[in-house]
Structure formats: C-alpha cells, structure tokens
Amino acid sequence: MAGQQFQYDDSGNTFFYFLTSFVGLIVIPATYYLWPRDQNAEQLRLKSLRRVHGRCLWYRLRLMKSQQSIVPTLKKAALLFGWVVFLLLAYKVSKLDREYQEYNPYEVLHLDPGATTSEIKKQYHLLSKKFHPDKGGDEAAFMMITKAYAALTNEQTKKNWELYGDPDGPRATNFGIALPAWIVDQKNSMLVLLVYGLAFMVILPVVVGTWWYRSIRYSGDQILINTTQLFMHFMYKTPNMNMKRLAMVLTAAFEFDPRSNKEATIRPTDNIEVPQLIRELGNINVKKKEPPFCYPYSLKARVLVLAHLSRMEISEDLEEDQRFAVRKSPALLQEMVNVGCQLTMMANSRGGFHAPRLVSIENCMKLTQMIVQGLQETKSPLLQLPHFDEEHLRYCVSKKYKVRSLQDLVSLKDSERRSMLRFLVEEKYDEVISVLGSFPHIAMETKLQVLDDEDSNNITAGSIVTVTVTLTRKRMAVRRLQIPSPDVFRVSLQADASKAKTKVWQNNKKQATKKSKKKKLTKKKAPAAAATVRRSLNSAPRYPPPPPLQDAVAVPKEDDEEGSDKGSESDEAEANKDSPSERDEESDKQSDTEVDEIAGDDEEQEWEALQQSIQRREKALLETKSKVTHPVYSLYYPDEKQEWWWLYIADRRDQALVSMPYHVCTLKDTEEVELKFPAPSKTGNYQYSVILRSDSYLGLDQIKPLKLEVHEAKAVLDNHPQWDIPETEEEDEEQEDSDGIEESEDDDEDND
C-alpha cells in the first residue's frame, strides 16, 4: 500500500491558490452589499420630493448629510483596494508553473501514443545525439529521455507505468498544505503559537461574548428588555393612562439612560439649560419623587419631548439630544402598544387583573402622531401645513368658513379657499395646496364572515369571526370634493347608533303595520278601479272581439252541445291538459329547479372565493413587501418617516379591544388585512367599530361601525352518520364464532 507523506508548500504556489480564493470570497459579496448606491439616484429622488417636502427638517438634514458624508468614498476606496489585491493574486496564480503533472513518456519523446518499437528506438537515437552530455547537451533532459525510452521498451517498467503512472513503480502520496514553510519553522514556532493563542483564545471569545451580551439585552424590535418590562409594569399599574402620565412613562425608557445606551448623553450644561426649559414649559410634574421619573435622564428626556411638542427653540447642544429622543419615541410607543395588547390577551385568557383601557392604547397612538408632527393634543390639525400659525387659524374658524380640519379645507371650493387664505402670497398658497394634495385619503371597505364554515354569513356564539378590510390609498387632491367633514361623519354615526337601538320586535311591528295599511288601501281602491274600468269600456268605440287566447278556456254554448263527440273529447282533453293545477305544479317545478341552480351557483362562487382567499394568504406569506410606502410630510421630525397605520376593532362602549391592532406597514396603493376575533358567547346584536389610525398624521383617523348579529350555535349531533363506523369482516367472523359456541353449549345442556 502506498504510503502518505505530508509536506508544506516550500515554493508557496499552493498558498497563493488558497489566498486568492479567500480574498475572492470576501471581496465579491462585500461589493454587492457594501458598494454605495448611486448617489445620483438619491439626489434625483430628493429633487423630486423638494416641491412638497422642501421645508421638512428631515429633508434639510438629508441634504446636509449627503453633501458632508465621506463614508461612501471610504467604502469605495476599500472595495477597490480589495479588488486590486484579488486581481494581482489571480494574475500571480495564472503565471505559476504546474508542479504536479502526469508522467507521459510519449510526450517526453515527442511521439504519438501507440508508436511502434522501431519508431521509439529511432526517436530515442535522434534525441540522444542532441541532448547527450558528452556532446554538450542537457543532462536532465537526457535522463528524462532515457527514462521514457526504458518505460516504453522494458516490459517491467512499462507495466509499472501503466499500473501506477510511474516507471519506478508505486510511490508515496504527497499532500501539500497551503501554508508556507516558514510558518512551521522551529525558529518561528513561539511567534506562530502566540498569534494563534491571541486570535482564538482572546479575540474570538471577546467578540462573540460582546455580541451575545448586546443581543440578549434587546428584543426583536431592537428595544431594551428592561424598557419592555418597565412599560409592562406601569401599564399594569395604571390601566387608564392619560396623556401626561404616558409622556412620563415614555421618557423613563432605558434608551435615554447613558448607562444603558451609549448614544444617550448627559452634558455639563444640562444643569443650566434644562431648568430654564422647565420654567418655560410650566407644570411637568418635576416634584414627583416616583422612580424612575425623578432620575435626571428621565427628566431631561421629558423636557426635550415636551419642548418638541410645543415647537420651542432650544440651544444647539440640546437640539441634538432632542433629535435623538424624538427619533426613538415612535418605536418605543409601538412597543407600548404591543405591551398593552399582551396585557389585554392575558387578562382575557387568565383574568385576575384589569386589562389596559382602550383609551390608554389609543393615547399611545395619538402621542406618536403628535411627536411626528410636533404638535400638542389640543392644537389644530391645520398646523401640520406649512406657513400656518396660531394667528392664522382665526381666518379658518370664522363663521363664514368654519374650517377646523384638513377635510374641511379640502372640501372648500377653490375660490373660497383662496379667499380664506388671503394672508398667503401666491407662492406660499401653491405650496400649501401641493402639501395638502399629498396627504393620504384612505378608502376602507369591510367584509364580515366566518371562514371554514358551511354558512359563512351566519355568526354563531363562540365562532371565529374574520373581518376582511380592504384599504385603498389615494391622494387628497383626487377626492377633495367628495370627502365628508368630520361633523357629517359624526352625525351619520349617531344616526346609525339610534337605528341600532331599536328592538327587533319593533321593526317587525312596523313592517306589519305597513303591510296592513297597504292591504286596506288596496281593498278601498279596488271597487273604484273596477267602476272606472267599466265606464271606460262603455265609452270606448265598438271593435270586433279579439281572438281567444291559447291558454284561455272557452265556455261552450247550448248550440255547441250538439257537436260531435270527437270535438267534445278533444276540448275536454285540452282543458284537462291545461288545467290551472297542473300549470301551478309545472311552475313550481321550474321554480325549484331555478332555486337549485342558483344555490349551486352560489356554492361554486363561495368555493371560488374561499380558494382565492387561501391563495392570497399563501402568497402574502411567501411575499415580502417593502415597508417603504410614502414619505410623511413632517416639519419637525428629524428622520424620513414612512406612512404606516394601525387597524383594529374595538368596543367603544365598554372601552375594550376586540381584535389586536395590526400595524399596516406596506400600504402603498391597496392592502387587504384580515382581523380575527371570537364572537361573543351570548346571542344578540353587538355594535363594534373598525378603527384606522395613522401613526404620522393628526386628523386622518377613520371609524367605521360594524354591526354583529350573533345567533345560537348549532347543537352537536351525537349520532351523526359519519361516526357510524361499519364493523370489519374479522369482527363479524368473531361474532359468528361466539354465537356458534353459545349455541353448542345450549345444545349440550339440552342433551344432559
């Protein structure tokens, strides 16, 4: 058996192959993921947004960042350097000589495979004269020629070459290791051991440990676990949380504590500037000694957030800290919404404590809108528009226009709107109209059904109800003359609620009285109508009578009684054939067949709809939609924010969530969302609300009533045919055998 021999690469050729492959595995993926995107495309995108978002804070910061940042240049330089190294190594490898070649004596003698012995001898003599050392030839080449000649003429050497690929017979297998020999040289052994120990015993454990320690501190949404526990404690402690308390809990998050987050900072000037802001803001519960609200980091974050909502001017140092707090707030408020939903689910399933009230969760959503727009809760939504100040609102809320919302402003005629906004010059007015036209208008359609049930429209107690909500996003400019004002929407909701309060028996009674009145009117009108018909017939001119209808039954006269029996029999047969009873039976059969056909079509349509819904769900699971929807117009938010929405079902009378809020992050044009919840355990009529809330804009929320009529669940049949399992043949045979044994025992007893 051939031996094995390990040797290091003395020449370094194998090491270059390894090094080229290693550098390529790093450079190629890094170029794909880290190469800076086309700056021209980003500039063009920002240029297209300039007309609407030019005054936004995030837009101005993005322009400054793109002009001052040198990170893309450094990335390009590093990647280009990596490619240069990779190409040089590839060129080096392409110029390396092949060390491991298959030995072929025919190539050494410059002969074709299968040459005859005479041709081999002739070629050997010619090459020997040329390369013989005594005649000034190459000794190494002459030795190779001699070896090749022996391999082709000597039977033993030829056999060794054919079997082992070498005329000398089997030899040891060499495995080259792609490392240069100097690495394992005894002189460098301590240095190599030191490098290996430092890399694998110090650096690698430190890197892995640091990554693990940081990852376990954060949740899947990159929120500190301690912050989530803090939110859960205070939402459990205060189920009904007002806006002031909510702001205190928000700013107590550990993301604002420098000990937990290195991005948060405490400056020496905070001891001077923060108290000044507190005096300007007024009462913000500074004297409250409840931890962590009394900690310096929490107090500073609260002051900065409240100053942002008041649109106050602050110093540059505090402005940088304020932008950090404002950037973190929407994600933290979303975490508070999630915590509130978790507590609600725990309270519904386990009980034992009060779930957070609906107003607490909705306050989290409202505070997100307020922080994105930089407005307080009591301020007008019109202040989201550019060039609008508090003093300008008096023109809008006057008795002539009564504009208090964005929908009211959109519903005005152009002439009235221009007259109301006469304090704006033409350029500013055009900018206001452009911004207002970019605001979203969502058309919301709902469909109520019970999936995976025989009757999907029948809601029974305890069944899982699915509300399919279709959201269609349009610009306000498209529907500016069709959007109802909030007051009209509120009146319609009140009307629907008053209709819902009427009892079922009252509705039936009203319908019965209407039917009875109609019957009386028809009875009174019948004689008068008959008299008018008779008068009209008497006054009409005499015309020959029309021929009898085919379906009419002719009344025979006395003269006709003497007719033939055949004619009378045929008349009787026709009369019997077309009798009214038979016609009614035929019409009933036709109506039954039509009903069956309609029912079959309805079942096919329901089946197709079910299959389409299943396909849509599977496609939604496999498809990953981008969360980049539409940029939000925000004058004071420091980052580019996308339009996202909350969609949920609530019982506003009991102030409770019916379905958990679904965060719609992919609504670009149209989105279909399924909200599921268990139907109430008691039968009756229920009034819920489907609520759509924006996480970016004030005054664009929508509430749509949802009426739910719950019926009693069908009783479960104990003796259902599907449970009648027929007995197998073996059981039948066993039963017959047992019967036979019993009969034989009875016979024996009789004989005795």
Side-chain angles (χ1 to χ4, degrees):
M1 180 178 177
Q4 293 183 352
Q5 179 182 355
F6 293 91
Q7 64 178 13
Y8 290 96
D9 184 16
D10 296 330
S11 61
N13 294 342
T14 312
F15 179 69
F16 279 111
Y17 282 102
F18 166 75
L19 194 60
T20 304
S21 303
F22 182 75
V23 173
L25 288 175
I26 294 177
V27 170
I28 295 174
T31 304
Y32 179 78
Y33 288 105
L34 300 179
W35 185 264
R37 302 303 179 212
D38 189 5
Q39 296 295 321
N40 295 329
E42 180 66 15
Q43 292 295 332
L44 290 175
R45 189 184 76 88
L46 293 176
K47 188 177 181 180
S48 64
L49 297 174
R50 182 176 181 179
R51 183 170 179 267
V52 176
H53 300 271
R55 291 186 176 273
C56 296
L57 176 62
W58 69 265
Y59 186 87
R60 292 183 275 116
L61 293 176
R62 181 68 61 84
L63 286 179
M64 294 172 58
K65 184 178 180 180
S66 61
Q67 294 174 0
Q68 298 176 0
S69 178
I70 61 171
V71 175
T73 305
L74 295 177
K75 286 184 178 180
K76 286 183 178 180
L79 292 173
L80 289 175
F81 176 76
W83 275 102
V84 169
V85 173
F86 176 71
L87 294 176
L88 289 176
L89 290 172
Y91 178 77
K92 175 70 175 176
V93 168
S94 65
K95 295 299 182 181
L96 293 177
D97 295 331
R98 294 175 59 192
E99 293 185 358
Y100 307 104
Q101 297 180 355
E102 184 180 358
Y103 182 75
N104 190 349
Y106 290 103
E107 291 182 0
V108 177
L109 296 176
H110 305 289
L111 291 173
D112 295 330
T116 61
T117 306
S118 60
E119 291 176 351
I120 293 171
K121 291 180 179 181
K122 183 179 179 181
Q123 185 68 13
Y124 171 69
H125 288 301
L126 290 175
L127 294 176
S128 298
K129 293 178 181 180
K130 183 178 180 181
F131 293 100
H132 199 282
D134 295 342
K135 297 182 179 181
D138 189 0
E139 184 177 358
F142 179 75
M143 294 297 294
M144 292 180 65
I145 292 169
T146 305
K147 184 178 180 180
Y149 174 73
L152 295 177
T153 55
N154 192 340
E155 293 182 0
Q156 184 63 34
T157 54
K158 187 175 182 179
K159 185 178 180 181
N160 290 335
W161 172 67
E162 290 176 352
L163 292 176
Y164 308 110
D166 195 329
D168 298 331
R171 59 181 178 178
T173 304
N174 295 327
F175 293 94
I177 299 178
L179 291 175
W182 60 266
I183 290 183
V184 292
D185 192 356
Q186 189 174 3
K187 298 178 181 178
N188 304 325
S189 59
M190 293 300 297
L191 179 62
V192 173
L193 184 62
L194 180 62
V195 171
Y196 270 85
L198 185 65
F200 291 101
M201 299 181 66
V202 178
I203 298 177
L204 184 62
V206 168
V207 171
V208 174
T210 304
W211 169 80
W212 176 252
Y213 175 72
R214 290 181 179 178
S215 62
I216 61 175
R217 295 172 60 235
Y218 291 89
S219 64
D221 298 327
Q222 296 301 310
I223 304 296
L224 288 170
I225 300 295
N226 293 335
T227 299
T228 304
Q229 295 174 352
L230 177 75
F231 290 165
M232 186 167 290
H233 168 73
F234 282 106
M235 293 200 78
Y236 172 80
K237 184 179 178 181
T238 315
N240 194 359
M241 192 177 295
N242 57 19
M243 196 66 72
K244 184 179 291 187
R245 176 77 172 181
L246 181 62
M248 296 174 64
V249 175
L250 169 66
T251 53
F254 288 94
E255 273 76 4
F256 305 126
D257 189 358
R259 295 172 297 179
S260 302
N261 189 4
K262 301 300 181 184
E263 298 179 8
T265 55
I266 295 292
R267 305 177 188 275
T269 57
D270 292 344
N271 296 327
I272 301 174
E273 295 178 346
V274 172
Q276 293 178 356
L277 287 176
I278 292 174
R279 286 192 293 269
E280 294 178 11
L281 289 170
N283 184 19
I284 59 171
N285 294 334
V286 180
K287 297 181 179 180
K288 196 173 186 64
K289 300 302 181 183
E290 182 182 4
F293 305 138
C294 59
Y295 294 162
Y297 81 89
S298 176
L299 183 61
K300 178 183 177 180
R302 192 191 324 160
V303 170
L304 293 178
V305 169
L306 294 178
H308 169 72
L309 297 180
S310 302
R311 296 185 176 183
M312 295 174 56
E313 294 184 359
I314 56 179
S315 62
E316 294 183 0
D317 294 337
L318 285 181
E319 188 175 7
E320 184 178 353
D321 298 340
Q322 186 187 55
R323 290 174 184 172
F324 168 74
V326 170
R327 285 191 190 100
K328 288 287 184 181
S329 295
L332 294 173
L333 288 168
Q334 174 61 34
E335 185 67 15
M336 293 184 73
V337 172
N338 296 337
V339 168
C341 296
Q342 293 174 9
L343 290 174
T344 302
M345 294 174 63
M346 291 171 60
N348 294 336
S349 60
R350 300 179 185 177
F353 64 93
H354 295 289
R357 303 282 289 175
L358 178 63
V359 66
S360 301
I361 298 175
E362 289 183 341
N363 281 340
C364 296
M365 301 177 183
K366 291 179 184 178
L367 186 57
T368 306
Q369 301 172 356
M370 294 160 53
I371 289 176
V372 172
Q373 294 297 333
L375 281 176
Q376 294 178 347
E377 185 181 11
T378 57
K379 298 298 181 180
S380 172
L382 297 175
L383 295 177
Q384 298 173 103
L385 299 173
H387 312 298
F388 266 76
D389 295 329
E390 292 283 350
E391 58 182 12
H392 297 148
L393 294 178
R394 58 188 179 91
Y395 297 101
C396 303
V397 298
S398 61
K399 294 182 179 180
K400 183 179 180 181
Y401 301 107
K402 297 181 180 180
V403 174
R404 293 180 174 83
S405 65
L406 297 173
Q407 291 87 345
D408 294 339
L409 182 60
V410 171
S411 62
L412 287 178
K413 296 181 180 179
D414 292 338
S415 58
E416 295 179 352
R417 190 187 304 110
R418 188 68 188 96
S419 176
M420 185 186 69
L421 302 179
R422 58 186 177 274
F423 57 88
L424 297 175
V425 297
E426 195 66 28
E427 182 180 357
K428 293 183 178 180
Y429 176 77
D430 292 340
E431 184 180 352
V432 169
I433 296 302
S434 300
V435 172
L436 186 61
S438 69
F439 277 34
H441 172 71
I442 308 299
M444 183 168 57
E445 298 178 359
T446 59
K447 182 180 179 182
L448 188 68
Q449 57 185 346
V450 179
L451 298 178
D452 302 331
D453 199 355
E454 295 179 357
D455 189 1
S456 60
N457 297 323
N458 185 24
I459 301 173
T460 58
S463 61
I464 302 300
V465 183
T466 301
V467 180
T468 304
V469 184
T470 304
L471 304 175
T472 304
R473 197 258 187 203
K474 297 182 179 179
R475 296 170 62 246
M476 268 196 178
V478 178
R479 297 178 57 87
R480 61 183 181 182
L481 298 179
Q482 301 177 9
I483 299 175
S485 64
D487 297 333
V488 176
F489 183 68
R490 203 175 296 114
V491 171
S492 65
L493 283 179
Q494 293 175 358
D496 293 339
S498 63
K499 290 180 181 179
K501 290 179 181 179
T502 58
K503 305 296 182 182
V504 178
W505 62 271
Q506 292 178 351
N507 293 334
N508 296 334
K509 185 176 180 180
K510 290 180 180 179
Q511 292 176 1
T513 54
K514 288 181 181 179
K515 290 181 180 178
S516 62
K517 288 180 179 179
K518 287 182 180 179
K519 289 181 180 179
K520 291 180 181 178
L521 289 173
T522 53
K523 288 180 180 179
K524 290 180 180 179
K525 290 180 180 179
T532 54
V533 169
R534 283 196 296 269
R535 285 196 299 270
S536 62
L537 290 174
N538 293 329
S539 61
R542 299 293 180 181
Y543 290 11
L549 298 176
Q550 295 178 357
D551 294 336
V553 180
V555 180
K557 297 182 180 180
E558 294 179 357
D559 298 337
D560 296 331
E561 290 178 358
E562 297 176 356
S564 62
D565 296 337
K566 186 177 180 179
S568 62
E569 289 176 0
S570 63
D571 293 340
E572 289 177 0
E574 291 180 358
N576 293 331
K577 182 179 179 180
D578 297 332
S579 61
S581 60
E582 292 183 357
R583 287 200 304 271
D584 294 339
E585 290 178 358
E586 292 177 358
S587 62
D588 292 339
K589 291 179 180 178
Q590 291 178 358
S591 61
D592 292 338
T593 55
E594 291 177 357
V595 169
D596 293 338
E597 291 177 357
I598 293 172
D601 295 339
D602 293 341
E603 290 179 357
E604 291 180 358
Q605 291 177 359
E606 290 180 0
W607 175 255
E608 291 177 358
L610 179 61
Q611 294 297 322
Q612 290 177 1
S613 64
I614 293 173
Q615 291 177 1
R616 283 197 301 270
R617 287 181 222 160
E618 293 177 352
K619 185 178 179 181
L621 290 174
L622 298 175
E623 184 181 4
T624 55
K625 294 184 179 180
S626 173
K627 292 187 177 182
V628 178
T629 56
H630 299 274
V632 174
Y633 184 84
S634 176
L635 291 170
Y636 296 94
Y637 193 71
D639 276 350
E640 183 178 2
K641 177 85 172 59
Q642 301 296 322
E643 287 181 10
W644 293 347
W645 305 82
W646 283 293
L647 183 66
Y648 58 98
I649 302 174
D651 187 354
R652 303 191 69 82
R653 187 187 66 178
D654 295 339
Q655 283 292 305
L657 280 173
V658 177
S659 72
M660 296 301 106
Y662 182 84
H663 206 191
V664 183
C665 303
T666 56
L667 178 57
K668 198 167 186 179
D669 297 317
T670 303
E671 187 76 14
E672 188 176 276
V673 180
E674 289 185 352
L675 301 176
K676 297 185 178 183
F677 62 93
S681 58
K682 296 182 180 179
T683 60
N685 295 326
Y686 295 86
Q687 185 75 22
Y688 294 152
S689 300
V690 182
I691 305 174
L692 178 69
R693 289 191 182 276
S694 172
D695 71 342
S696 307
Y697 294 107
L698 291 165
L700 298 185
D701 302 338
Q702 294 188 29
I703 301 176
K704 192 169 184 177
L706 181 67
K707 297 178 181 179
L708 200 68
E709 185 177 357
V710 181
H711 303 279
E712 187 176 356
K714 296 180 180 179
V716 181
L717 298 177
D718 296 334
N719 298 325
H720 197 275
Q722 67 179 354
W723 303 116
D724 295 339
I725 302 174
E727 296 179 352
T728 60
E729 297 179 358
E730 296 179 356
E731 293 177 352
D732 294 339
E733 293 176 356
E734 292 177 358
Q735 184 68 25
E736 291 176 357
D737 295 339
S738 62
D739 294 339
I741 293 170
E742 291 177 357
E743 291 177 358
S744 62
E745 290 178 354
D746 295 337
D747 294 338
D748 294 338
E749 291 177 358
D750 294 337
N751 294 327
D752 294 337

